[in-house]
Every structure is written in structure tokens, then in C-alpha cells.
Amino acid sequence: MLTGLSIRDVVLIESLDLEFGPGLGVLTGETGAGKSILLDSLGLALGARADSGLVRSGQAQAVVSVSFDLPADHMALALLRENGLDGEPGEPLVIRRIVKADGGSRALINDQSASVALLRELGAMLVEIHGQHDDRGLLNARGHRALLDTFGGIDTRETERLFRVWGEANAALARAREELEAATRDREYLEHAAAELGKLAPQQGEEEELAELRANMQKGARLAEDIAAVGQYLDGSEGGLSLLRQAARRLERIGDQHDKLGEALSALDRALIEASDAEDRLAEAADALAYDPARLEEAEARLFEIRAVARKHRVEPDALPALAQELGAKLAALEAGTRSLAILERSVSDGRAAYEDASQRLSALRAAAAKRLDSAVARELAPLKLDAAQFRTIVEALPEGQWGPRGRDRVEFEVSTNPGAPFAPLTKIASGGELSRFILALKVALAEQGGAGTMIFDEIDRGVGGAVASAIGERLHRLSSTAQLLVVTHSPQVAARGSRHFFIEKSHGLVTRTSVHLLDEGRRREEIARMLSGAEVTDEARAQAVRLLEAA
């Protein structure tokens, strides 16, 4: 809900602060008093084009601020969060627009800089301004389908799900066809590469093992003579181990004769243990470094083949087993490709059929809802002096390329203003007064559905009076029970229906200024009397004003 409007230095308005409440607010005043300035100011804050001509003469800039109270689940708050701006439930939403006299403008949302595009998107969620030049809200055909669905209580969730399933099946089929085509183009390569890797049968870690074996054999060839010489020093009847054992046996016989002899015997025992261990390690090294020319040649041939194939396929040697599996899988997929395509094509066909069935049911529901909406709007036209006009809701099939999650229908509201005249979109209506009344009829038929929480009607009663004006006032009052309305009006019948009445006047002095006043009951009665009688307010006009207010 719009709660406040603050204007500084806009055209004839020097300083103005207005507070709004729920229900129907009316704005009246003499022609030329400045009602359009108020609407231009509000439009500026909601993203309209900035014009330096709006800045009051002699001032550096004009500033317009608007504030809103929004429910916690309002989509405007979600939009702010999506754009990284603060917008907390329960806190006022404040939009400020600054226009400089030398050109340029700034937009602020809750004191944070924002783009004009975001301001415009946000404004469309907050306020609908209905007048002869309005191109949003009900005049935008892109929103008519959603409005009809809401009016008819039509649930599109199942169609959305089936459209998604059909789309996923189509995407899977496209991927499978692409993969099959690529595999078919590469069949000869796949078969050759798979056969080569199958024959080679590389194992994980094999290249490292072969490289280590080769390196050890090459070392063994170089170290064989030294290892043999060391073995001779240790082994044999004249080797070191044999001599140590002989010394130990001899010492063992006399070791108990002196402490030092016992210690010498213990040291010899330790030496024998270490020497035996050294002999074992030497034997193990000899085995590990054993040089076998035939085995070395075989290992080198295998190692070089694995490395060559890895280079050929531009992978690491350890990746060859996985590559072999991948190529085998591709060949298997190629063989099974036709069968897989048939299954996927069947899924696509089933998905399409299910979507078409659901969207056909949607179309039938929309056609029925369109008839009810047409009847509801038709009931509102005659009281609004549009009895010669006709309204219809077009529901027609879209080409397949435009089908979507909410069905395959195009929905648009059309009118014919005179008998025999062709039907045309709402935007083609020439008369601003007719357009506003058509919008009012639609709004009443649709109740609160599909619109912003605040609606502004600019001179909806233009060119009508009497019973028609009363009918407009009654419908505006009815509509204000579900949304906040602000109406610029010249009709006393409409003004009398308002829950708040703002009077706009222009004062002439050294500088012409426009001001706005919230009227109390007495001044409101006098203003409605003025609207009834003209320049000179008569007692009869005052009495009639009282009757209008009492009837409201």
C-alpha cells in the first residue's frame, strides 16, 4: 500500500508531503490546478523518464519520494533481494528519485543506489496507473493469460510438470543422437583403438613396475662384480663369517676365565648376528638386481610399447586401462545406439502426448473461464455508459514453437466500442475516458486478481455524469475493498465515495504554486458542492452534497 508521497521543487510544487491510507482516495480541484503534476511526480518515482523540465524554476534539482507498506511475502521484496538490495518485511519501502536541472537523475531504494530499469520493474509491482496513455497492467496482453487463469481458478502446475518432463526427454534424445552421430563418424578409429588396447591389455601401475624393473636390472649389470666380491669376503671357508665363527668358538672355551673375555665373546656374538644379517641383505640385493638380458629386453619392449600407445592417445600410461574401458563403452553404445534412440523417441512421443492432453484440458478450462469473464464484464458495461460496446476474451492456439509450461494458448482481451465495429486490443481504444471505464469494468470483474496493491485512475469519469458517474463511484468503492485506489476525478458522485479527499489548488502571487490539502468533513462537503454548482456554491448544491455523502 502506498503510504506517503513527498515532492520537492517539481514544476509548481515547492514542498508537499501527503499521507495515504487504505480504501478509496479521491483528488479533486479546478482544471489546471496541477493534478497532472502529482501523477507525473509519482510516475517519476516509479521509473518514468526523467525530464529536467520538471525541476521548478530557479532550483538545482527536484526530489520525489514515495513510501510503501508491504506484506512479508510481497514479490517486490523478493525482487530487491535478488538485486542485492535491503528490503525487510515490516519495514517501509522508500523510493527516491532526484532529477537535476542540468540533466541527469539518480534513483535510490531504501537509500541504496538503483538503476532506473529496476525502479520501473519494481514500480510495476507496486502501482498500476490507469489512464489514456497507460501501457502497463491490464493493457499489457502478455499478462492476460495469467489474469484469466486466476479468474477461472485454473491450476497449471501439472502442465508445467509435463512440459518439463517432455523437455527433458527431448534434451536426452538430442544428446543421444549427437553422441551416436559422433560415434558413427569415429567408428573406424574406435574399432582400431579398442583392438590395439585390447591386445596390449595394459594394467594399472604396470608402467611404473616395468620402469623400476628395468632400472634395477641396469643397476645389477653395473654392480654384479662388486656384489660378488663382497659375497666372497663374507662367505666360504676363508670368508669373514667363517673366521668370526672360529674365533667365537675358541673364545667360548676360555670366556669364563676373565670378565673381559666374556665381554669379548658377547661382542663377537653381536658381530656374527650383524654379519649374518648383512649376508642376507646382500643375497636379497643380488636377487633384486639380478641381471637377465632376455628378461630385460622383454621388459623394455613392453615398457616402450605402453609409453608409445599412451603418447599416441595423449594420456598418461596409467590412464590406458580407463581409456580401453571408455572406448569399449563407446563401441557398445554404438552397437546399442539404435535401440536406445528408439526408447528415447518413444519417451519423447509419450511426453508430448501427455503435455498435449494436459494443455488441451487447460484450453477447455480457459475457454469456459473466458465466457464467464466476458459475461461478468458485459454486466459492468451498460451502467458505465458503454452499453454499445462489446468485450471478448480471445483464446487461441499458439504455434508449436511458442508452446510453454503454462500451455499452448494465446489470451488477449479485445473490445468493440460500437455496433458493427471490429474488435481490437484495449490499447487501440481512442477515448481515454472509455479506456478507463473498460479497465474499471475489467478490474471489477477480476476483483483483486492480477494487479498491484495500489491502483490510480486518472479522470475515469471524463465526459460522463449523473447515473453513469454514480455507477463509476459505486464500482470504485467496491473495488477499494480489496485494493488501495487513488482517483483523479471531476465527478461529485465519485468524490463522495472516497474515504479520503484531497483538494488540489493553484495559488497566484509573485510565484504560482500548487498545493494539496486533506479535507475535513466540512471542507469536503463544500468542495463537492462546488463540483456540483460551479463557481458559485448554492445552498441547494450544499444540500445535494450532503445527500451524496450520506448515500455513499
Side-chain angles (χ1 to χ4, degrees):
M1 181 180 74
L2 176 66
T3 56
L5 171 64
S6 175
I7 302 174
R8 298 291 183 271
D9 296 320
V10 175
V11 193
L12 300 178
I13 299 176
E14 180 179 3
S15 177
L16 178 64
D17 294 290
L18 295 178
E19 292 183 0
F20 302 99
L24 175 61
V26 296
L27 297 93
T28 65
E30 294 284 359
T31 301
K35 294 184 289 292
S36 62
I37 300 176
L38 284 178
L39 295 184
D40 288 344
S41 298
L42 182 59
L44 182 68
L46 299 177
R49 180 179 174 273
D51 185 350
S52 59
L54 291 172
V55 180
R56 193 165 67 92
S57 178
Q59 301 304 308
Q61 64 182 26
V63 181
V64 180
S65 300
V66 289
S67 58
F68 295 87
D69 278 342
L70 304 177
D73 60 349
H74 198 285
M75 56 185 174
L77 297 177
L79 179 65
L80 292 182
R81 290 191 293 269
E82 289 171 9
N83 286 272
L85 297 178
D86 295 335
E88 296 298 327
E91 295 293 326
L93 170 63
V94 180
I95 301 173
R96 181 176 294 111
R97 190 81 181 276
I98 302 170
V99 181
K100 297 181 179 180
D102 57 0
S105 70
R106 290 181 60 206
L108 299 168
I109 300 175
N110 289 339
D111 290 326
Q112 303 159 97
S113 293
S115 68
V116 175
L118 176 59
L119 211 64
R120 193 175 298 118
E121 186 177 359
L122 190 66
M125 297 177 176
L126 298 170
V127 178
E128 289 182 13
I129 301 178
H130 296 299
Q132 58 181 325
H133 302 301
D134 180 40
D135 61 354
R136 298 186 296 185
L138 292 177
L139 301 188
N140 189 341
R142 286 179 296 181
H144 289 177
R145 186 173 67 184
L147 288 171
L148 179 63
D149 287 349
T150 304
F151 172 80
I154 298 171
D155 189 348
T156 63
R157 285 177 294 182
E158 178 63 8
T159 310
E160 292 171 23
R161 185 187 69 81
L162 291 173
F163 184 78
R164 184 174 62 255
V165 169
W166 179 31
E168 290 169 354
N170 264 317
L173 177 60
R175 286 195 302 271
R177 281 176 173 163
E178 185 177 331
E179 290 170 2
L180 183 60
E181 289 173 5
T184 302
R185 289 194 302 268
D186 298 336
R187 176 188 285 272
E188 186 176 343
Y189 161 75
L190 287 173
E191 291 175 341
H192 170 75
E196 180 182 47
L197 287 171
K199 182 180 178 182
L200 181 64
Q203 303 299 313
Q204 188 74 28
E206 185 180 5
E207 187 261 354
E208 184 179 354
E209 292 175 3
L210 289 171
E212 184 178 356
L213 176 62
R214 176 173 176 261
N216 285 339
M217 285 189 132
Q218 288 174 337
K219 287 179 185 177
R222 296 195 307 270
L223 301 176
E225 184 178 345
D226 292 328
I227 293 172
V230 172
Q232 288 178 358
Y233 293 147
L234 291 175
D235 203 5
S237 59
E238 298 300 323
L241 272 172
S242 177
L243 293 175
L244 283 172
R245 290 188 186 101
Q246 293 177 31
R249 286 194 296 270
R250 193 97 177 234
L251 188 57
E252 189 176 6
R253 290 197 296 268
I254 61 172
D256 57 352
Q257 300 299 312
H258 194 277
D259 290 345
K260 295 300 180 181
L261 292 175
E263 291 175 5
L265 179 60
S266 296
L268 270 177
D269 287 341
R270 291 194 299 272
L272 277 168
I273 292 171
E274 292 295 329
S276 295
D277 188 54
E279 185 181 38
D280 293 341
R281 298 293 178 269
L282 186 64
E284 291 172 3
D287 288 342
L289 299 174
Y291 173 64
D292 182 345
R295 190 180 177 200
L296 176 61
E297 183 178 354
E298 180 184 339
E300 285 184 333
R302 176 74 175 171
L303 177 64
F304 295 156
E305 186 177 10
I306 287 175
R307 287 177 173 174
V309 173
R311 284 195 301 272
K312 177 179 178 181
H313 291 285
R314 298 181 180 178
V315 297
E316 293 297 322
D318 272 354
L320 287 176
L323 178 62
Q325 290 182 347
E326 181 185 340
L327 294 178
K330 286 184 177 180
L331 275 175
L334 185 60
E335 296 300 325
T338 303
R339 294 192 300 274
S340 298
L341 282 183
I343 294 171
L344 289 171
E345 285 169 351
R346 198 156 47 246
S347 295
V348 170
S349 177
D350 291 346
R352 178 192 177 103
Y355 169 78
E356 286 186 328
D357 184 57
S359 59
Q360 186 174 355
R361 290 195 298 272
L362 270 188
S363 298
L365 291 172
R366 283 172 178 148
K371 290 181 180 178
R372 296 198 304 274
L373 178 60
D374 293 351
S375 297
V377 174
R379 288 194 295 271
E380 301 295 330
L381 295 181
L384 295 174
K385 203 178 178 181
L386 293 170
D387 46 308
Q390 290 180 286
F391 173 89
R392 72 179 183 185
T393 304
I394 297 294
V395 180
E396 62 182 20
L398 288 166
E400 184 173 339
Q402 296 179 32
W403 292 1
R406 292 174 180 81
R408 50 185 186 177
D409 301 313
R410 182 185 77 87
V411 175
E412 186 169 5
F413 303 145
E414 292 186 343
V415 297
S416 168
T417 53
N418 295 295
F423 280 88
L426 285 170
T427 51
K428 302 300 181 183
I429 299 174
S431 165
E434 281 183 331
L435 177 58
S436 294
R437 279 179 278 146
F438 264 114
I439 289 172
L440 177 59
L442 254 175
K443 275 294 180 183
V444 171
L446 292 168
E448 64 181 345
Q449 308 299 341
T454 299
M455 287 177 279
I456 297 175
F457 288 89
D458 183 13
E459 298 188 2
I460 193 172
D461 49 12
R462 180 185 305 165
V464 299
V468 177
S470 295
I472 291 174
E474 189 276 329
R475 281 155 179 77
L476 288 170
H477 184 264
R478 194 194 321 167
L479 190 57
S480 70
S481 65
T482 58
Q484 180 190 40
L485 267 66
L486 294 176
V487 180
V488 177
T489 180
H490 290 289
S491 167
Q493 292 90 339
V494 172
R497 289 281 187 172
S499 54
R500 285 190 166 206
H501 191 148
F502 298 93
F503 177 64
I504 306 169
E505 66 177 344
K506 184 186 295 184
S507 61
H508 299 279
L510 295 176
V511 178
T512 302
R513 290 185 174 88
T514 290
S515 57
V516 182
H517 308 282
L518 177 62
L519 302 183
D520 58 23
E521 287 302 315
R523 295 179 65 192
R524 183 183 182 195
R525 185 170 55 249
E526 195 70 11
E527 167 61 6
I528 293 175
R530 181 199 64 78
M531 297 171 73
L532 285 164
S533 62
E536 184 179 346
V537 180
T538 64
D539 289 339
E540 175 54 31
R542 291 187 178 94
Q544 179 63 16
V546 170
R547 287 192 290 272
L548 284 176
L549 287 168
E550 289 176 348

